[in-house]
């Protein structure tokens, strides 16, 4: 019985974790939707997780010179302030344009070189201890 | 007392303003080495069309001539089927660039057959139908999105079945076929700008790590997988160490030959 309860509890935790990533992902796709109308293709692949306040996560991306990209970030936590910024492999900021509205934020980049870039997600403030986030990107 | 309240209120407002300013004005430079390794380990693998559309901007490639006549034969070897599935999905992106409806539909059907062979047919049934429907009416952007979706659905279904290793092989197979096509086009009309598209060290490193750490012993020891490990090791020094390094035409030709031979090995059921 104890084992069954532990299993169910673990299942419940896993299900909740998926739920907040799913919610954050929905917001990330919502953040990307205006760019679809501008001819951008939104990738089906995505990054996601959860962070504490003031925590940061860097994720790697292979970007190609000649393309334009929008990186779109969503969170499931109302009132949380998150940002995403893009840096080259030497750590230099390459943002061209940024937008933020409620749970959505986005940044546009035009990579000066083909190579490895880093999307850095930061939770600036949040009413929750852990804040779920998801990041998608669109290209054209 | 009101003074204390005012001071607390002012401090709160200042903190809020600082947070907003901080959110709006990111630092111009960061020290990437300060991030823990596990936080930067994951890479989203680009789909072939991300690089193909740059080639379109640089020139006018003959996409139709890049399409293969045969999509290859499948064996009972799961590693081979997963790698072949990756190459077939990549072929879908080439067929979209070539705007070849019949080929796209053929590829959509083949994706379904290969998915069935590794028990993830359900995950791509709708995608396959959608690929056929959208190719029929030549909605190329939508078809491209469906191929991307099919790739993610297949990988997610494999991961759900505990086959994460197999999911990686699908990605690797797609990347190898994409690189074969990319190098084929670049070498026909070499420029340093187009060759720069091969500068993908993070991806090569990512795939190498994944193949070095396959948990399934049978997959880890598979001849095709071993061949691909060697391919990645051979490619790494040819794609430039630093950003902006010129990738010479000879390197493009060498990478093309290596990826072409590997795709042929995958398609003919053996290493």
């Amino acid at each position: 019985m104890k084992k069954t309860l532990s299993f169910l509890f673990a299942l419940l935790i896993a299900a909740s974790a998926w739920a907040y990533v799913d919610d954050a992902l929905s917001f990330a796709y919502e953040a990307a939707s205006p760019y679809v109308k501008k001819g951008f293709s939104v990738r089906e692949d995505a990054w996601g997780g959860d962070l504490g306040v003031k925590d940061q996560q860097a994720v790697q991306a292979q970007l190609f010179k000649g393309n334009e990209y929008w990186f779109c970030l969503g969170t499931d936590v109302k009132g949380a302030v998150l940002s995403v910024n893009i840096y080259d492999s030497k750590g230099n900021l390459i943002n061209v344009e940024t937008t933020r509205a409620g749970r959505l934020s986005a940044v546009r980049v035009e990579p000066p070189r083909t190579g490895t870039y880093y999307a850095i997600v930061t939770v600036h403030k949040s009413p929750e201890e852990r804040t779920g986030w998801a990041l998608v990107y669109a290209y054209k | 007392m009101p003074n204390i309240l005012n001071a607390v209120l002012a401090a709160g407002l200042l903190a809020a303003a600082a947070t907003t300013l901080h959110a709006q004005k990111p630092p111009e430079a960061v020290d990437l080495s300060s991030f823990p390794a596990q936080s930067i380990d994951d890479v989203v693998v680009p789909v072939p069309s991300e690089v193909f559309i740059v080639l379109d901007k640089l020139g006018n490639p003959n996409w139709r001539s890049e399409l293969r006549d045969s999509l290859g034969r499948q064996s009972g070897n799961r590693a081979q089927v997963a790698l072949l599935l990756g190459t077939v999905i990549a072929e879908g992106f080439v067929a979209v660039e070539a705007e070849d409806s019949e080929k796209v539909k053929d590829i959509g059907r083949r994706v379904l057959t290969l998915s069935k062979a590794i028990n993830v047919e359900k995950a791509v049934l709708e995608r396959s139908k959608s690929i056929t429907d959208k190719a029929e009416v030549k909605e190329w952007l939508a078809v491209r999105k469906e191929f991307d979706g099919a790739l993610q659905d297949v990988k997610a279904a494999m991961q759900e079945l505990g086959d994460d290793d197999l999911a990686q092989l699908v990605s690797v197979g797609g990347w190898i076929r994409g690189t074969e096509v990319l190098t084929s086009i670049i070498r026909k009309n070499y420029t340093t700008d187009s060759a720069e598209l091969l500068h993908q060290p993070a991806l090569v490193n990512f795939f190498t790590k994944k193949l070095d750490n396959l948990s399934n012993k049978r997959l880890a020891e598979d001849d095709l997988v071993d061949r691909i490990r060697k391919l990645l090791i051979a490619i790494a020094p040819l794609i430039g160490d630093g950003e902006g390094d010129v990738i010479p035409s000879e390197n493009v030709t060498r990478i093309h030959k290596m990826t072409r031979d590997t795709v042929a090995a995958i398609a003919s059921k053996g290493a």
Side-chain angles (χ1 to χ4, degrees), chain A residues 41-45 47 58 60 62 64-67 85 87-89 91 93 113-114 116 124 137 139-140, chain B residues 22 26-30 39-40 44-47 49-50 54 57 127 145 148 152 193 196 199-200 202 243:
Chain A
S41 296
V42 182
R43 282 298 313 279
E44 295 269 337
D45 212 348
W47 297 275
Q60 284 189 83
Q62 166 70 44
F64 299 97
K65 179 185 166 185
N67 278 346
N85 296 294
Y87 292 85
D88 67 17
S89 60
L93 186 72
R113 298 267 181 211
T114 291
T116 311
H124 298 282
Y137 71 93
Y139 66 95
K140 81 164 183 184
Chain B
H22 185 56
E28 287 298 317
V30 293
S39 76
I40 54 172
V44 167
V45 179
V47 286
S49 61
E50 283 176 58
V54 181
K57 291 171 194 167
R127 293 281 185 190
K145 192 163 175 56
D148 185 4
Q152 305 316 323
D193 264 359
E196 195 191 320
H199 183 61
Q200 303 175 20
E243 273 176 31

Side-chain angles (χ1 to χ4, degrees), chain A residues 56-102:
Chain A
Q56 292 189 308
Q57 173 120 9
V59 286
Q60 284 189 83
Q62 166 70 44
L63 304 184
F64 299 97
K65 179 185 166 185
N67 278 346
E68 254 183 273
Y69 298 86
W70 272 102
F71 283 80
C72 305
L73 179 69
T75 177
D76 60 322
V77 178
K78 194 177 176 185
V81 177
L82 283 80
S83 68
V84 55
N85 296 294
I86 313 298
Y87 292 85
D88 67 17
S89 60
K90 290 182 179 132
N92 298 313
L93 186 72
I94 63 152
N95 292 1
V96 172
E97 185 183 351
T98 55
T99 64
R100 196 167 73 78

Side-chain angles (χ1 to χ4, degrees), chain B residues 106-171:
Chain B
D106 183 29
I107 291 167
R109 285 188 290 268
R110 194 66 199 280
V111 167
L112 197 59
T113 313
L114 289 168
S115 302
K116 192 176 181 180
I118 42 178
N119 306 320
V120 291
E121 182 195 17
K122 255 191 199 169
V124 287
L125 201 60
E126 278 303 309
R127 293 281 185 190
S128 171
K129 189 179 174 310
S130 200
I131 286 169
T132 305
D133 293 347
K134 285 167 181 164
E136 189 70 47
V137 292
K138 301 185 191 305
E139 283 181 17
W140 301 117
L141 266 177
V143 179
R144 187 194 279 169
K145 192 163 175 56
E146 292 297 341
F147 275 119
D148 185 4
L151 186 61
Q152 305 316 323
D153 289 350
V154 161
K155 284 165 59 184
M158 285 173 176
Q159 281 157 348
E160 243 176 67
L161 292 171
D163 264 338
D164 194 41
D165 289 349
L166 221 51
Q168 296 305 335
L169 294 184
V170 177
S171 291

Side-chain angles (χ1 to χ4, degrees), chain B residues 20 23 82 87 95 115 131 167 177 198 205 226 230 255 264:
Chain B
T20 309
T87 67
S115 302
I131 286 169
R177 173 62 184 143
L198 284 164
N205 189 33
D226 190 48
K230 288 172 183 157
I255 297 169

